[in-house]
Amino acid sequence: MSATGVATAPRKKRRARVGGKGEARFAFLLLLPAILVVFGVVLYPVARTFVISLFAVDSPLPGFYPFVGLSNYTRVFHDPAFYGVLRNTLYFTLVSTGAELVLGIAVALLLNAPLRARWFWRSLVVLPWALPTIVNGALWRWIYNGQYGALNGLLDALHVSSTPVQWLGSPFLALNMVIVADVWKNTSIVVFFILAGLQTIPTDLYESARIDGASAWAAFWRLTLPLLAPSIAVVLILRTIEAFKVFDIIYVMTGGGPASGTQTVAFYTYLQAFSNQLFGYGAALAYLIVLAVFALAMVYLRMLRQGQMSGVE
Amino acid sequence: MNLSETPQPSELVGTGPTRRVVLTVGGGLGLAAFLAACGVSGGGGTSGGAGSGKGTIRALVMKQAGYSEADIRKMTGSFQAANPDIKVTLDFVAYEALHDKTVAAAPAGTYDVVLIDVIWPAEFGTKKIIADVSSKWPANWKQQMLGGAVATPQYNSHFYGVPWILDTKYLFFNAAHLAKAKVDASELDTWDGVLKAARALKANGVTKYPLIWSWQQAEALICDYATLLGAFGGTFLDGSGKPAFQNGGGVQALEFMHQSITDGLTNPTSTQSLEEDVRRVFSAGQASMAMNWTYMFGMANDPKQSQVAGHVEVLQTPSGPGGRPGVNGSMALALSAESKNQDAAWKYITYLTSQPVQNNFALSSLPVWKSSYDDPAVVKTNPAVVKQAKKQLADLILRPQVKNYNAISQVLQTEIQNALLGKKSAQQALNDAADKTTPLLAK
């Protein structure tokens, strides 16, 4: 089996000049609102954050602040607390994204099968994702409560353990329990991306594979997964970026504790910028998050491109 | 088998951006950077103004301890009835969001009135987020208000607001539980007595964990630590403004906290609990003793909200070798420095903090006015708390009044939790906290 013909031919650069200058001006006017919105809500804040990161801004009010160049950036790498929160962030990103992807593919495959009342199961899967993160965090905080939480109640009812576990009571366990809450909510979106990808795969490919003697497992590994690569790449980029920026679920569930064990880079940035009013330092931290996310996205895209160039054997 | 006709989304791996796109985005970013730079190093903030004394004002208040949302709406309603040309819009947030929302809203001057904690005047005052209202303070207020109240909005002898919620933590106990364990309430006069009572309650199977505290990584933890720090004779800072909590009473207080967990007397959920969690556990009868703010007395004795209503009693915090100071947890109403309607806002502040209004709502929060405590109507609203408040409010311990308080508090919260979770000894945790806070105090 071979796959060729992936869209690799150079695109023709066509500059369609259908109308004259008047039409171009009209087109520009039509685009102007979008340009202004992009400038106002993307470019200006991005640029302003960068400019703030070069100054020792320690108040939310405009004024004259000393220019400090890149010292806010160098300070990040001399801040011992930063390495702790970076470690937490990388762990959170890796584990939550990995778990969401594996679970998401499994659930999507199940929902792609000819189930009875499939529409109902598909609708049910969207529910966790439809919940606002704040509500999801509050819900899981209650479930995990060491005194009256549902999880301890369940373990007790099943005679697994009658001693209440403090799920959010130690740093590493708390971080993992927050990951579970995040996976519960965000697996839904992975399911939908993968499900959409699965529906673009023609069923006759599987019939051909079966005729060629491929087992279900081989068809999954050599047919389904490679053809899902674009969907997986998109969802990986989205989820990795979201996981790396995680803030709200931490804020609601643990407040960064216990003993700062669930503080992430985004949470730490928030503390520095808003609680401690170190806006210059907070802006530098925010920029580093942007750079890290950008680098991750480039890596994924590169991997995807290489995968497509080599084709599906 | 040929997969050449299989749909392959190519947008993601399409050709790179064209020169025109690069130039457009780069130009846009350049222009944005130029405009952004103007805002940081040039200009200057718009400052507030007195305004016409009428119109609409907006206030940021708290939906948590102290006055309830219903109380504040009622007070505001009566203010608007008395001042029909002023309309007040209220925004309620949790305590944990109050500081950051005040900061985030400051540049736009969104709020005319903000509720501030006793630990924020140094920070907000020096950064000119709230207005210095020293000149508006009538001279007699200092004599007419309780000392702890006067200290609340004060920094460097300047006033940055008017005290509104006068509060400290008290020791609440379940009298029925104590009776079951044959513990006399007089034993709760000292912290040693509290531990002895807790052991008796646990031994008699009355409560598995007799004590519950708000020791989550949050300011609530520092409030409880401050109370114990004072009781064990410690101080946050020494006379020269350097950390002192790592010495003597500071260490003993933290050892006391940790020991109560390892002895199984303190509910381990305490390290994940805020004040409302404490109230719920206590009100469910799952704890026999708890420290909390005034508001818990009314709610824990309300049969609609509590399973132990009628059994809840209140005491001044127990004494230790250093005495029995209560933590100053008071709050004040401040004028936003960016408010364009400061005259109307000031009218609102002086109305809400006035003695008649505070007397009317004494059940939720005790008045800041000395003479209120001799007013039979006030005493009648909350006789049990007023009796203890007279003693407790006379001896309050302040958390450090410094510009970088939040950063210092965050360090302390983390290190205290390290000790409570047994990751470090109390001495080591506080030494580490002292090392980290020394440079912050020097700024």
Side-chain angles (χ1 to χ4, degrees), chain A residues 104-124:
Chain A
I105 291 173
V107 175
L109 285 170
L110 197 66
L111 292 178
N112 200 41
L115 293 172
R116 188 177 288 178
R118 193 163 64 172
W119 62 270
F120 172 76
W121 300 113
R122 286 183 178 178
S123 310
L124 201 65

Side-chain angles (χ1 to χ4, degrees), chain A:
Chain A
M1 158 165 103
S2 68
T4 54
V6 177
T8 54
R11 235 173 26 189
K12 278 186 182 176
K13 288 185 180 175
R14 284 188 300 154
R15 298 268 164 80
R17 291 186 181 276
V18 181
K21 279 187 179 176
E23 197 165 338
R25 199 172 295 130
F26 180 64
F28 177 75
L29 280 175
L30 288 177
L31 284 172
L32 194 59
I35 291 170
L36 287 175
V37 168
V38 169
F39 184 85
V41 303
V42 180
L43 295 183
Y44 178 78
V46 165
R48 182 167 173 81
T49 304
F50 179 69
V51 170
I52 288 173
S53 74
L54 304 176
F55 289 81
V57 181
D58 64 352
S59 161
L61 303 176
F64 293 92
Y65 299 101
F67 178 76
V68 293
L70 295 176
S71 66
N72 280 325
Y73 290 89
T74 54
R75 181 180 165 186
V76 172
F77 298 103
H78 291 98
D79 181 352
F82 174 73
Y83 292 100
V85 298
L86 182 63
R87 199 169 47 242
N88 292 343
T89 309
L90 292 175
Y91 182 81
F92 184 96
T93 305
L94 201 72
V95 177
S96 67
T97 310
E100 284 159 17
L101 189 65
V102 172
L103 276 174
I105 291 173
V107 175
L109 285 170
L110 197 66
L111 292 178
N112 200 41
L115 293 172
R116 188 177 288 178
R118 193 163 64 172
W119 62 270
F120 172 76
W121 300 113
R122 286 183 178 178
S123 310
L124 201 65
V125 167
V126 85
L127 273 181
W129 187 65
L131 269 185
T133 309
I134 298 291
V135 177
N136 183 48
L139 180 86
W140 282 93
R141 189 181 151 98
W142 275 82
I143 290 171
Y144 290 150
N145 188 287
Q147 184 69 24
Y148 45 78
L151 186 54
N152 280 335
L154 181 70
L155 293 178
D156 191 23
L158 296 174
H159 303 290
V160 175
S161 168
S162 58
T163 309
V165 179
Q166 301 301 318
W167 299 105
L168 301 176
S170 66
F172 187 62
L173 181 60
L175 184 59
N176 283 292
M177 300 321 285
V178 175
I179 288 173
V180 171
D182 185 75
V183 168
W184 184 80
K185 176 175 162 56
N186 288 313
T187 298
S188 305
I189 192 70
V190 180
V191 170
F192 279 94
F193 268 90
I194 302 297
L195 200 53
L198 283 172
Q199 285 169 11
T200 65
I201 303 176
T203 49
D204 55 353
L205 291 178
Y206 291 100
E207 281 170 30
S208 305
R210 202 167 50 245
I211 292 164
D212 286 351
S215 65
W217 189 244
F220 172 73
W221 276 109
R222 306 189 66 178
L223 191 65
T224 310
L225 263 192
L227 292 174
L228 278 178
S231 306
I232 291 174
V234 172
V235 83
L236 260 184
I237 291 169
L238 287 177
R239 285 307 310 142
T240 306
I241 290 171
E242 287 299 315
F244 199 85
K245 296 188 306 180
V246 65
F247 170 79
D248 37 13
I249 199 164
I250 304 272
Y251 183 86
V252 177
M253 286 186 69
T254 63
S260 300
T262 57
Q263 276 189 13
T264 57
V265 176
F267 191 90
Y268 187 66
T269 303
Y270 161 79
L271 282 183
Q272 296 300 325
F274 291 97
S275 293
N276 303 344
Q277 297 201 43
L278 298 173
F279 289 96
Y281 186 50
L285 281 162
Y287 241 84
L288 290 175
I289 294 177
V290 171
L291 287 178
V293 164
F294 183 71
L296 279 170
M298 294 309 288
V299 168
Y300 280 139
L301 288 174
R302 188 102 192 149
M303 282 164 59
L304 179 66
R305 179 187 287 195
Q306 282 170 352
Q308 289 203 339
M309 293 296 181
S310 62
V312 182
E313 291 300 320

